[in-house]
Structure formats: C-alpha cells, structure tokens
Amino acid sequence: MNHELITARGLDKRFGSIHAVRGINLDVRAGEVVGFLGPNGAGKSTTMRMLTGFLDPTAGTVVLDGINLADHPMLAKRRFGYLPEGAPAYPDMRVDEFLSFIARARSFTGRDIKQRVDAVIERVHLSSVRLQTIETLSKGFKRRVGLAQALIHDPPILILDEPTDGLDPNQKHEVRELIRHLGSERAVVLSTHILEEVEAVCTRAVLINSGSIVFDGTPAEMDAKAPRHIDRNRLDSVFRSLTTVDTADPHTRKATSR
Amino acid sequence: MSRISVIFRREFASYFATPLAGVFLVLFLFLSGLFTFNLGGLFDRGQADLRPFFQFLPWLLLFLVPAISMRLWAEERRIGTIELLTTLPFTLTDLVLGKFLAAWAFAAVAILLSTPMWITVAWLGSPDHGVIIASYCGGLLMAGSFLAVGGCISATTKNQVIAFVVCVVACFLLLITGFPAVQDYVSGWAPSAVVESLAAVSALSHFESILRGVLDVRDVLYFASVIAASLFANVLIIQWRKAD
Ligand SMILES: Nc1ncnc2c1ncn2[C@@H]1O[C@H](COP(=O)(O)OP(=O)(O)O)[C@@H](O)[C@H]1O
Ligand SMILES: [Mg+2]
C-alpha cells in the first residue's frame, strides 16, 4: 500500500501583505514519516493548517487519500488525525470525557466509544490521568491527550504540529518511538525545530524557509550536505546554511523588507 | 442530526462542568423573583396571572442571555479548540446549530425554573393558562433570538467581555425600538412608516403582543427569522474568520 496519501500542489497562502507559504508541492506515501523543519515563522503551521482544511489556501490543492479536500471536506477530514499547534483541548473536561467526545465526533457509537478510548489511553500512556480534568495536566500529558485525540480513529494520515514540544527527554523518546511505529503503515507529517528529532523518527526531511521548501530528502542526504570538516552538529550546520541563504539574496531581502 | 447531537451533548454538559451554571440559575431565579414579587407586586395586584414576571423577563434576559452566549465561540478561539472542532468531521452548520441549541436548552432550564410561580398562582386563583403558556413560548423565543445574536457576536472575538458588552447593546437596541418612549419620540418627527417598521423589528413589540395571549404567526415568524438570520450569519463569520 505504497500509494500517495497526501498530495499538495502549489499550496500558497497570503495573510494580507504577508506571503506565509509560497507554492509548496508535497507528496507523502504510506510508510513515510516526513519532518517539517524550519525556523519560527517559516510557514510550517500554516502549511499543516491548509493540509487539514483549517485554512483555505490562497492558491493550490490538497488531495488526501485520493479525496480532494476542497471538494469533499467531510470525507477528507475522516482520513486524517490532526494535532494542532499547542494541543488545544477543553480545559474543564476530563481526559476520558474529552476522548469520548472525539470518538463520538469520529462517528463511533455505543461500546465502540469506550473501546476506542481505552485503547488510545493505553497506547499513549494516559491511564494515570484518565479521570483528571485537562486543565490540571502537565504540558507533557496535555500534549499526549492531543496525540491520543488524533489517533483515536486509527487514520491513514497523521498531521502533527510539534508533537514533542514541552515534553521531557523521556517523554520525547516515548512519543518518537510511537510515531515511528505508527509511520510504518501510515503517512505522517510532523513539524519540529529539533533537528535530532528528524534523525530519530523521520524517513524524510523537508526544510521550509520563508514559505518555500529549500530541501527535501532523507536525513542522511541532508547530513551529506554539511561540509566535510564539520563532524559535530552537522545537521545544525546544514539547517543554518539552508535557512539563512535567503537573507543574503538581495531579491528576497527587498521582498521581505516591504 | 447525530453530528449536531454530539456537539449539543458536549456543550450542554459544559455548562454544568463549572459552578457557574449553578450561580447563573440561582441568580436568574433570585432576580426574577425579586422583580416579580417586589417590583411587579404579583400578590398586590389581586389578579391571578404571571404578567409581572413576563414583563420583566425581557430585561432580565437582556443581561443573562449575553452571559451565556459570550463564551460560545470566543472561548473556542481563545483556547484554540476552534482548530480542533473545524478539522473534525463536522460541517460549520453542525457546529453552529449544536452550540446554539445547547445554549437555548440551558436558557430554557433557567426560564422554566420559574414554574413554581405558575403553580403558586394557579393555586391562589384561576389564571388563564393559555396566556401563560403563550407567554412562556414568547420568553423562550426571545431568549433564542438574543442567543443567536449573541452567538454571532461571540464568533467575531476572542474576548468574552467584549462579546458580552456588544451583545447587551445589540439586544438592547432590538428591544428599545419598540419601547413606548422611543416610539413616541420617533413619531414626533418621522413618518408613520418609519415608526411602524421600528415596531416591526422590535423584539419587545412582538413579545408584548404574545403576552396578550395569542401566539400570532407573525410574532413567531419574527423571532424565527431573527434566529435563522443570525445563525446563518454565524456560519459565514466562522467560515471567513476561522483562523483569525
Ligand atoms: N492568522 C494569521 N494572520 C496573519 N499572519 C499569520 C497568521 N498565521 C500565521 N501568520 C504568519 O505567517 C507566517 C508563518 O507562520 P507559521 O506557519 O505559524 O510558522 P511556523 O509554524 O513555521 O513557525 C508568520 O510570519 C506568521 O506571522
Ligand atoms: Mg508553528
């Protein structure tokens, strides 16, 4: 099942005078874990919001598992799980109530609701807090609730905006293991600004800068772009060189200084 | 329908997730009692009906309904759950209707908590139950209209306080165009067509005509159109400004 699950063509987004995303093309197949990398404000979240239909693109199309998102949003929305930036959730709901609500929203009924909630709570290790209200959770647990919410219907596509943000090193490791496992048969797109994360979980790195893709390849290929003499933090060096070229380019500098 | 009920259930339960609901209901009961018995003189009038209660109801709703509607969308924006809701398999119509119906049901609970007054009046005398039932329907319709308008306003902001204040002002305007003093003032200089159309858009005029005991189609249609138009506008506002 190695067909394209995500196809984005010419994705473009302007917010007034800000040109946040500039004609991004992206194809993701089952079995791929794509890491969106880029400095703050590069356009990672905006791109993911267009992939999930939260934002309508100024131009371009998104096709998810063969379904055009703009034409059939209700069908397309069933194909993915989405963790928005900051893992928003209702603070005064309990973890199990919140996940039950998501299960119902995903059209599960009757006993399936409890079964799905129990399974996902097990999967992302939330048993110890399942009866706590979300507002009382630590940042790490809150993020995992967001992850659980995205996984509850076992979707073929996962779009995760900063899934490990705010987690401690152990929790980060755990979530990365989970994502890598999930990615073996799904299309996963995650965003991060932690380079080691890309090496640890991603089969592919997509580097975004000022709304454009400046690198798309395996983490190993990215590593190979680093100059020979650097033997530590090689990815850091590639990241810096690829995301600072723009400021040296007089054409773009003029465009951004407006 | 079941998608709307998923939203309805979560929303309705959320009113009771905090002590706020209790505070609200107690306040509503206390104020309606105060108005009805002390200011309205329910017992001194020597008449068995609930007219004082229903005459004060619009003014009570003017402050209490915006307190319900202010959080409908502003809170979703503030905590970012609007991004979750709109990327789940719901249509915007599901979301707007589910939220509105839950808020309306909560307002109905508040209004119907006054039924002990009805029982008291029925026990003391022989009120015209038809008039009372019509008046309750009128009160529910007015609450629904205010809620729909308030939901729309809440959809434009992250700030609940702003949503509250603007909603009070909007509902106040909807009421006062039918206020006798305003009508008198306007009729002093404006052509009668203007005066009549002001009365026609006033929630108060329609409510008062319902209080006379007949649930006229025109009055029901008025409230129904305010609700429908506001809900439609609410969908459009969310559609255009989901991410702002
Ligand atoms: N709703 C919005 N209105 C205006 N500008 C926005 C909005 N959302 C994002 N932007 C701008 O778009 C650019 C890209 O933002 P974002 O996609 O959040 O970056 P990243 O997730 O890579 O840090 C930034 O310059 C940001 O200020
Ligand atoms: Mg971001």
Side-chain angles (χ1 to χ4, degrees):
Chain A
M1 52 173 278
N2 254 18
H3 59 293
E4 309 288 353
L5 284 176
I6 303 176
T7 309
R9 286 284 166 276
L11 272 195
D12 207 274
K13 184 68 188 178
R14 291 171 189 271
F15 297 105
S17 63
I18 302 171
H19 199 171
V21 174
R22 304 165 185 238
I24 279 186
N25 295 310
L26 187 74
D27 294 281
V28 187
R29 291 163 178 274
E32 280 191 294
V33 180
V34 174
F36 267 8
L37 274 167
N40 282 329
K44 303 183 293 293
S45 296
T46 305
T47 304
M48 296 176 125
R49 285 172 164 170
M50 289 192 285
L51 292 179
T52 56
F54 181 57
L55 285 175
D56 296 323
T58 311
T61 54
V62 174
V63 177
L64 300 174
D65 200 7
I67 303 159
N68 186 306
L69 178 63
D71 296 343
H72 305 284
M74 287 295 276
L75 281 180
K77 286 199 273 188
R78 297 205 171 89
R79 312 305 295 156
F80 64 78
Y82 177 39
L83 171 69
E85 190 168 26
Y90 295 104
D92 45 24
M93 282 180 112
R94 286 193 331 234
V95 171
D96 59 337
E97 288 171 343
F98 176 68
L99 294 174
S100 302
F101 163 66
I102 300 290
R104 278 190 201 97
R106 293 287 182 190
S107 305
F108 293 106
T109 53
R111 238 177 300 155
D112 284 350
I113 296 172
K114 189 174 179 326
Q115 189 247 317
R116 287 278 162 173
V117 170
D118 288 347
V120 84
I121 279 179
E122 179 81 8
R123 191 163 210 181
V124 301
H125 307 293
L126 284 168
S127 327
S128 62
V129 296
R130 76 175 289 156
L131 298 180
Q132 253 173 265
T133 55
I134 290 173
E135 65 192 339
T136 65
L137 298 183
S138 68
K139 214 176 163 192
F141 271 121
K142 202 181 157 217
R143 188 74 33 153
R144 280 194 267 174
V145 170
L147 207 54
Q149 159 278 125
L151 294 175
I152 207 156
H153 56 307
D154 210 3
I157 299 169
L158 277 174
I159 296 172
L160 311 172
D161 202 346
E162 305 194 355
T164 61
D165 187 47
L167 304 190
D168 68 34
N170 287 335
Q171 295 168 333
K172 275 198 169 91
H173 178 75
E174 232 170 63
V175 168
R176 285 174 190 163
E177 286 299 304
L178 175 66
I179 292 173
R180 196 159 50 187
H181 177 72
L182 291 167
S184 59
E185 56 203 25
R186 268 165 269 254
V188 182
V189 176
L190 62 87
S191 74
T192 178
H193 36 240
I194 307 168
L195 286 157
E196 63 187 55
E197 191 152 292
V198 173
E199 278 192 302
V201 294
C202 299
T203 60
R204 191 170 143 202
V206 171
L207 198 49
I208 300 183
N209 191 36
S210 308
S212 306
I213 294 180
V214 293
F215 174 85
D216 185 347
T218 63
E221 284 163 359
M222 190 168 152
D223 185 69
K225 294 197 102 181
R228 280 257 171 67
H229 63 271
I230 298 179
D231 50 28
R232 290 186 62 228
N233 296 329
R234 289 171 60 85
L235 281 182
D236 277 332
S237 130
V238 183
F239 182 84
R240 268 197 306 275
S241 71
L242 286 174
T243 58
T244 48
V245 278
D246 261 1
T247 36
D249 178 340
H251 176 71
T252 12
R253 194 188 318 144
K254 210 162 80 196
T256 46
S257 64
R258 243 184 301 139
Chain B
M1 193 60 221
S2 78
R3 292 199 308 260
I4 296 175
S5 77
V6 171
I7 296 294
F8 178 92
R9 275 183 68 169
R10 198 212 75 78
E11 287 283 323
F12 192 69
S14 80
Y15 288 106
F16 298 95
T18 62
L20 221 65
V23 172
F24 181 90
L25 293 175
V26 168
L27 193 71
F28 188 88
L29 257 187
F30 172 75
L31 289 177
S32 56
L34 182 78
F35 281 151
T36 308
F37 293 108
N38 289 11
L39 302 171
L42 183 71
F43 293 137
D44 311 337
R45 295 167 65 245
Q47 249 177 316
D49 61 20
L50 280 180
R51 217 179 151 78
F53 168 68
F54 287 111
Q55 260 166 350
F56 282 112
L57 189 60
W59 307 100
L60 204 53
L61 293 178
L62 178 60
F63 289 96
L64 295 180
V65 165
I68 302 176
S69 68
M70 63 182 186
R71 52 183 287 290
L72 275 179
W73 290 98
E75 181 72 356
E76 303 276 357
R77 280 194 195 285
R78 192 180 64 79
I79 61 181
T81 39
I82 189 168
E83 187 163 0
L84 201 64
L85 274 188
T86 55
T87 53
L88 283 166
F90 292 115
T91 64
L92 293 183
T93 310
D94 297 336
L95 300 177
V96 168
L97 280 180
K99 277 173 167 287
F100 167 73
L101 291 174
W104 204 7
F106 181 70
V109 169
I111 292 173
L112 294 178
L113 277 179
S114 66
T115 44
M117 279 195 242
W118 185 1
I119 295 165
T120 313
V121 173
W123 185 58
L124 291 174
S126 47
D128 184 336
H129 292 293
V131 171
I132 292 180
I133 290 170
S135 305
Y136 268 113
C137 292
L140 291 174
L141 285 171
M142 178 172 270
S145 308
F146 284 5
L147 278 171
V149 169
C152 237
I153 292 163
S154 175
T156 63
T157 177
K158 275 183 192 172
N159 187 321
Q160 296 193 26
V161 179
I162 293 177
F164 177 83
V165 173
V166 176
C167 181
V168 171
V169 172
C171 294
F172 183 64
L173 290 177
L174 210 54
L175 279 180
I176 60 153
T177 51
F179 213 52
V182 174
Q183 295 262 307
D184 288 348
Y185 170 71
V186 175
S187 62
W189 48 269
S192 64
V194 173
V195 182
E196 274 163 33
S197 54
L198 267 183
V201 299
S202 163
L204 198 60
S205 312
H206 289 280
F207 183 67
E208 303 227 294
S209 106
I210 291 177
L211 290 197
R212 273 178 238 125
V214 260
L215 214 48
D216 193 306
V217 183
R218 273 169 307 176
D219 300 318
V220 175
L221 216 58
Y222 163 81
F223 287 113
S225 11
V226 171
I227 292 173
S230 304
L231 293 180
F232 183 64
N234 197 336
V235 170
L236 292 182
I237 292 169
I238 298 296
Q239 189 164 351
W240 290 333
R241 307 197 33 204
K242 252 189 299 192
D244 291 359

